[in-house]
Amino acid sequence: MTILITGGAGYIGSHTCVELLKAGFDIVVLDNFSNSHPESLRRVKEITGRDFNAYDLDLRNKCHVEKVFEKYNIKSVIHFAGHKAVGESVSNPLMYYRNNLMSTIVLCETMKKYGVRNLVFSSSATVYSQKADMPLGEDTGLGAVNPYGRTKYMIEEILFDIYNSDPYWSIALLRYFNPIGAHESGRIGEDPNGLPNNLMPFISQVAIGKLPELQVYGNDYPTKDGTGVRDYVHVVDLAIGHVKALLKVQSSKGVEAYNLGTGNGYSVLEMVEAFEKASGKKIPYKISGRRPGDSPVCYANVSKAKKELNWEAKRGLEEMCRDTWRWQKNNPNGYKKVLNAESIKVF
Ligand code: WQD
């Protein structure tokens, strides 16, 4: 029995492949490499000493997706694939709706056709309403405020409707808070295309000298030091959470949402200080205006994942910063300019 990982070459996907292989699962990866690199998969094999196949394909191509289901005895699916940049989704909403929704619909239609009904879906804390009280629980009111977050909300609703039409489905909706960090080997990590949207990759590129200074988006929020507070979670903890969710969907029916965070919030300036300590590098920054769409504070109530998945984050902020720095220092250009690209199959 094989686990199908869509978007498995990406940041969270590649770290999850490592944990699945370490746990003894057989996997097969689908990725169109629009926001990832085959090199990450080569390094997953290097880290784990285990082999697997990967296919360069667009999930919206039903003919190709069906060929994978024909070829492999798939037991469950972990679905990461999708565009994920908030700002880009605001400027190009149709690309987000077409890609994220259509790829999920084709995937679920193919799963249904081949009798595969176990699914772990990569959702996001952006589905929650920004007016909600903290900490955010899974029963908190939903209300995404950008097209990216709305695709995640819509997909959650589609998955609830699929289950309501066929109660043999078993689905876990994993709502990530702020994933950061990297595998302890420093061989895989976050490798954003172009200028990083998110805080931690921006800070690490300032530390390595690729960017001159950090813009702190506002210091007039009602928080301890006026800067935004978020729930940062180590990507390896997050990956382990996917293994736990996979075991859950393989042993029960129904649709359940789970927050994957630490339950702790850190401000932007606390993150800068923590990274300076971990890297020994000074992070120059300038206070600028608030970023449209940002909320002051966002952190999780993580009791449901602890109770039902037997999962909780183990790695603290120092380890998140130390692991991020090791990856960035060893890979100043990420996976780019790597010549021996992984042998990726195509149909
Ligand atoms: C964190 C804090 C910024 C950059 C986003 C997505 C969310 C999820 C995680 C996928 C905020 C501040 C940031 C910078 C800054 N991704 N900041 N200068 O916005 O909480 O969440 O990534 O699921 O969907 O929305 O993360 O890292 O962009 O921002 O001051 O250059 O850092 O204002 O307070 P965010 P972020």
Side-chain angles (χ1 to χ4, degrees), residues 84 86 123-126 146 148 176-179 196-200 202 214-217 221 227-230 232 268 291 294-295:
K84 63 163 193 167
V86 170
S123 190
S124 167
T126 40
N146 56 67
Y148 159 75
Y176 309 154
F177 279 71
N178 290 65
N197 297 304
N198 298 135
L199 179 66
M200 185 52 93
F202 204 106
L214 171 72
Q215 299 293 321
V216 175
Y217 294 144
Y221 286 109
T227 62
V229 170
R230 294 291 185 275
Y232 298 94
V268 175
R291 180 172 64 176
D294 271 353
S295 58

Side-chain angles (χ1 to χ4, degrees), residues 57-307:
L57 64 80
D58 184 329
L59 268 182
R60 293 168 298 180
N61 185 320
K62 187 177 277 191
C63 172
H64 287 173
V65 177
E66 289 190 352
K67 282 184 177 176
V68 176
F69 279 76
E70 289 285 352
K71 185 174 174 62
Y72 296 88
N73 181 13
I74 293 166
K75 178 177 177 63
S76 303
V77 177
I78 302 182
H79 180 34
F80 291 105
H83 295 325
K84 63 163 193 167
V86 170
E88 182 182 67
S89 79
V90 173
S91 55
N92 195 345
L94 282 175
M95 179 176 80
Y96 272 67
Y97 290 121
R98 166 173 283 277
N99 184 67
N100 292 6
L101 299 185
M102 284 309 297
S103 57
T104 303
I105 289 166
V106 169
L107 174 67
C108 289
E109 286 176 334
T110 310
M111 288 175 68
K112 184 176 168 85
K113 177 175 179 179
Y114 288 87
V116 180
R117 290 179 171 76
N118 299 329
L119 175 65
V120 176
F121 172 59
S122 169
S123 190
S124 167
T126 40
V127 301
Y128 289 119
S129 163
Q130 291 197 340
K131 300 181 180 63
D133 295 332
M134 297 297 144
L136 294 171
E138 287 83 354
D139 56 353
T140 298
L142 304 183
V145 293
N146 56 67
Y148 159 75
R150 275 190 279 275
T151 66
K152 293 297 187 181
Y153 167 72
M154 290 175 188
I155 292 168
E156 288 196 3
E157 292 298 293
I158 289 168
L159 296 175
F160 274 109
D161 287 340
I162 290 173
Y163 171 71
N164 289 332
S165 73
D166 177 354
Y168 286 96
W169 282 75
S170 182
I171 302 169
L173 311 171
L174 301 187
R175 293 172 179 167
Y176 309 154
F177 279 71
N178 290 65
I180 64 171
H183 187 265
E184 61 185 6
S185 64
R187 296 291 287 156
I188 56 175
E190 189 169 10
D191 182 20
N193 281 340
L195 203 57
N197 297 304
N198 298 135
L199 179 66
M200 185 52 93
F202 204 106
I203 287 177
S204 65
Q205 289 194 20
V206 170
I208 199 83
K210 286 188 76 173
L211 295 170
E213 67 178 8
L214 171 72
Q215 299 293 321
V216 175
Y217 294 144
N219 67 346
D220 57 351
Y221 286 109
T223 63
K224 58 188 83 168
D225 57 22
T227 62
V229 170
R230 294 291 185 275
D231 184 335
Y232 298 94
V233 56
H234 197 295
V235 66
V236 174
D237 280 327
L238 203 64
I240 293 167
H242 286 74
V243 179
K244 300 278 190 163
L246 178 66
L247 295 171
K248 177 77 163 51
V249 299
Q250 294 191 159
S251 60
S252 62
K253 300 294 177 217
V255 185
E256 290 293 342
Y258 296 100
N259 287 337
L260 295 191
T262 65
N264 303 312
Y266 290 102
S267 74
V268 175
L269 293 184
E270 285 177 318
M271 295 301 285
V272 169
E273 186 183 357
F275 198 86
E276 288 181 333
K277 191 172 170 207
S279 65
K281 297 286 184 181
K282 188 75 182 137
I283 307 296
Y285 66 84
K286 189 176 291 178
I287 304 292
S288 61
R290 292 182 176 188
R291 180 172 64 176
D294 271 353
S295 58
V297 180
C298 180
Y299 62 93
N301 175 333
V302 293
S303 55
K304 185 178 178 185
K306 183 173 173 60
K307 179 168 174 260

Side-chain angles (χ1 to χ4, degrees), residues 2-77:
T2 302
I3 310 300
L4 173 67
I5 322 286
T6 75
Y11 173 42
I12 302 169
S14 56
H15 284 83
T16 301
C17 287
V18 167
E19 297 307 322
L20 288 166
L21 291 165
K22 278 170 59 180
F25 289 99
D26 293 325
I27 68 171
V28 59
V29 171
L30 307 186
D31 205 305
N32 67 2
F33 301 102
S34 62
N35 190 25
S36 59
H37 197 291
E39 175 64 12
S40 68
L41 297 177
R42 194 188 67 77
R43 295 186 186 187
V44 166
K45 294 177 183 179
E46 172 197 292
I47 290 167
T48 59
R50 292 200 58 205
D51 199 8
F52 58 90
N53 289 328
Y55 293 84
D56 180 352
L57 64 80
D58 184 329
L59 268 182
R60 293 168 298 180
N61 185 320
K62 187 177 277 191
C63 172
H64 287 173
V65 177
E66 289 190 352
K67 282 184 177 176
V68 176
F69 279 76
E70 289 285 352
K71 185 174 174 62
Y72 296 88
N73 181 13
I74 293 166
K75 178 177 177 63
S76 303
V77 177

